[in-house]
C-alpha cells in the first residue's frame, strides 16, 4: 500500500473500506451489545471485509473518483486527528469533555478531507503512503512492545462510555523514536515514489463497468455493420447488367449510363 497503493486502486478501496468499518464498528458493538472483546473484534473484522467489498462495488459501478475517495479522505483524516490527539494537544483540559473531544476530532477529519478532495490523485497517494507505512510500522511495534499502536487505539477507546474522560500517557522511548523515524521515511519515500511512477499515467484507472459497457456497445455496433454489409451484398445481382446489354446490342449501359458499341462491331 505504501509504494503501490494508488496503482492498485481497487485494493486501496478495499483497504479503506475495511479500516473505516473497523474503526466505527468496534465502539458501537462495545457500547450496544454484551459481546466479549474477542467477539467484538471478530465481528468488526467480518464487517470490515464486507464493507471493503461493497466499497469496491461502488467504484466498479459508479466510477466517480470523488465519491470513491470520500472514505480515503476519512481514513487519512482519522489517522491525522489521532496523531494530533496523541501529542500534548490531546491532554488539554478543555478536551476532557466527550462533546468537545468529538467536535474537534470530527472537524479535523472533515477539514482535511474537504481540503484534499479536489486534489483527488494527491489524496489517494498521500493516504496510501501514510496509512500503509503506519500499518507496517505498527506491525513491528507489536513485537517491540512500543506505544505507536496507541495513536489509533486511544481514539477508538474514546468512543466507550467508561473511557470518554480518560487520557493515556504512553512512554516515548528509544524504540518509539526509531519506529517514528522509520514511519516518516517510509511515508515520504512512498509518496515520492508514487508521484514519480504515476507522473505520465492517467489520474485514475478506467472504471470497470464503463469499460465493459463501452466494449459491449462497440461489439454490437460492429456486428450490426457486418450484418448490413452482408445484406447489401446479398441484394447485388449475380449476373451484371452489362452482360445482357452486350448480348442484345443495347446502346446504353443500364448501370453506368455509358454508350455501348454495337455488338456486331465489337465482334469484328
Amino acid at each position: 500500500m505504501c509504494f503501490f497503493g494508488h496503482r492498485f486502486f481497487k485494493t486501496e478501496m478495499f483497504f479503506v473500506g475495511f479500516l473505516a468499518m473497523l474503526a466505527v464498528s468496534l465502539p458501537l458493538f462495545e457500547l450496544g451489545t454484551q459481546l466479549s472483546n474477542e467477539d467484538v473484534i471478530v465481528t468488526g473484522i467480518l464487517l470490515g471485509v464486507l464493507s471493503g467489498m461493497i466499497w469496491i462495488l461502488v467504484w466498479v459501478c459508479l466510477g466517480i473518483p470523488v465519491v470513491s475517495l470520500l472514505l480515503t479522505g476519512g481514513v487519512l483524516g482519522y489517522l491525522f486527528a489521532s496523531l494530533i490527539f496523541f501529542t500534548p494537544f490531546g491532554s488539554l483540559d478543555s478536551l476532557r469533555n466527550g462533546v468537545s473531544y468529538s467536535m474537534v476530532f470530527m472537524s479535523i477529519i472533515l477539514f482535511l478531507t474537504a481540503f484534499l478532495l479536489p486534489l483527488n490523485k494527491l489524496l489517494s497517494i498521500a493516504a496510501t503512503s501514510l496509512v500503509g507505512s503506519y500499518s507496517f510500522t505498527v506491525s513491528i511495534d507489536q513485537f517491540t512492545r512500543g506505544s505507536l499502536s496507541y495513536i489509533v487505539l486511544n481514539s477508538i477507546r474514546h468512543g466507550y462510555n467508561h473511557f470518554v474522560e480518560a487520557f493515556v500517557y504512553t512512554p516515548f522511548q528509544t524504540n518509539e523514536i526509531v519506529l517514528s523515524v522509520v514511519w516518516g521515511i517510509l511515508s515520504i519515500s512512498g509518496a515520492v515514489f508514487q508521484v514519480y511512477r504515476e507522473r505520465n499515467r492517467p489520474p485514475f484507472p478506467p472504471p470497470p463497468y464503463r469499460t465493459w459497457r463501452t466494449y459491449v456497445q462497440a461489439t454490437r455496433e460492429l456486428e450490426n455493420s457486418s450484418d448490413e454489409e452482408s445484406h447489401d451484398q446479398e441484394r447485388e445481382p449475380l449476373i451484371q447488367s452489362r452482360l445482357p446489354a452486350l448480348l442484345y446490342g443495347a446502346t446504353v449501359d443500364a448501370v453506368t449510363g455509358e454508350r455501348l458499341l454495337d455488338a456486331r462491331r465489337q465482334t469484328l
Side-chain angles (χ1 to χ4, degrees):
M1 288 299 295
C2 180
F3 291 93
F4 300 97
H6 182 71
R7 179 63 176 166
F8 301 99
F9 193 69
K10 287 186 285 187
T11 305
E12 176 189 347
M13 293 294 99
F14 177 83
F15 186 64
V16 297
F18 174 81
L19 293 179
M21 178 56 69
L22 189 65
V24 172
S25 61
L26 291 182
L28 290 179
F29 279 103
E30 181 70 21
L31 293 174
T33 63
Q34 301 297 326
L35 298 176
S36 62
N37 293 332
E38 292 78 8
D39 294 337
V40 169
I41 293 175
V42 172
T43 306
I45 292 175
L46 293 177
L47 289 177
V49 172
L50 180 62
S51 175
M53 297 174 64
I54 292 174
W55 203 244
I56 291 178
L57 290 178
V58 171
W59 164 250
V60 170
C61 296
L62 297 181
I64 304 176
V66 175
V67 176
S68 300
L69 289 176
L70 287 174
L71 271 187
T72 304
V75 171
L76 178 61
Y78 190 92
L79 179 58
F80 187 72
S82 300
L83 182 61
I84 291 177
F85 279 88
F86 189 72
T87 63
F89 174 79
S91 303
L92 297 176
D93 293 335
S94 58
L95 297 178
R96 290 185 178 272
N97 183 273
V99 177
S100 301
Y101 184 94
S102 302
M103 292 293 292
V104 175
F105 196 88
M106 289 301 300
S107 298
I108 296 174
I109 295 177
L110 294 177
F111 174 78
L112 187 63
T113 303
F115 179 75
L116 291 178
L117 195 58
L119 308 172
N120 41 32
K121 183 178 180 180
L122 179 61
L123 172 60
S124 176
I125 293 176
T128 53
S129 59
L130 188 63
V131 178
S133 59
Y134 177 74
S135 303
F136 175 78
T137 308
V138 166
S139 63
I140 300 176
D141 182 73
Q142 295 298 313
F143 294 99
T144 60
R145 298 185 181 274
S147 60
L148 291 184
S149 59
Y150 286 94
I151 294 176
V152 175
L153 287 178
N154 285 346
S155 302
I156 294 177
R157 289 173 178 175
H158 270 82
Y160 303 160
N161 283 334
H162 57 275
F163 207 86
V164 172
E165 298 182 356
F167 285 87
V168 179
Y169 296 94
T170 57
F172 203 73
Q173 301 175 355
T174 304
N175 54 346
E176 284 86 2
I177 295 175
V178 173
L179 288 177
S180 298
V181 172
V182 171
W183 180 22
I185 293 175
L186 286 177
S187 300
I188 296 174
S189 59
V192 171
F193 177 79
Q194 291 194 71
V195 169
Y196 178 78
R197 180 183 175 85
E198 303 294 330
R199 67 190 186 282
N200 294 325
R201 298 177 183 269
F204 292 93
Y209 179 69
R210 291 185 180 180
T211 304
W212 176 77
R213 286 188 59 184
T214 303
Y215 172 76
V216 171
Q217 292 177 357
T219 304
R220 289 178 179 176
E221 293 177 357
L222 182 61
E223 291 178 353
N224 293 334
S225 61
S226 300
D227 293 339
E228 292 178 358
E229 291 179 358
S230 61
H231 184 66
D232 293 338
Q233 292 176 359
E234 291 177 357
R235 293 175 59 183
E236 294 181 356
L238 298 178
I239 301 177
Q240 299 295 331
S241 58
R242 184 173 300 187
L243 182 59
L246 295 175
L247 293 176
Y248 295 101
T251 59
V252 179
D253 192 345
V255 177
T256 62
E258 297 178 355
R259 191 175 184 82
L260 300 176
L261 298 174
D262 186 68
R264 184 182 299 176
R265 293 175 61 185
Q266 289 184 4
T267 56
L268 293 176

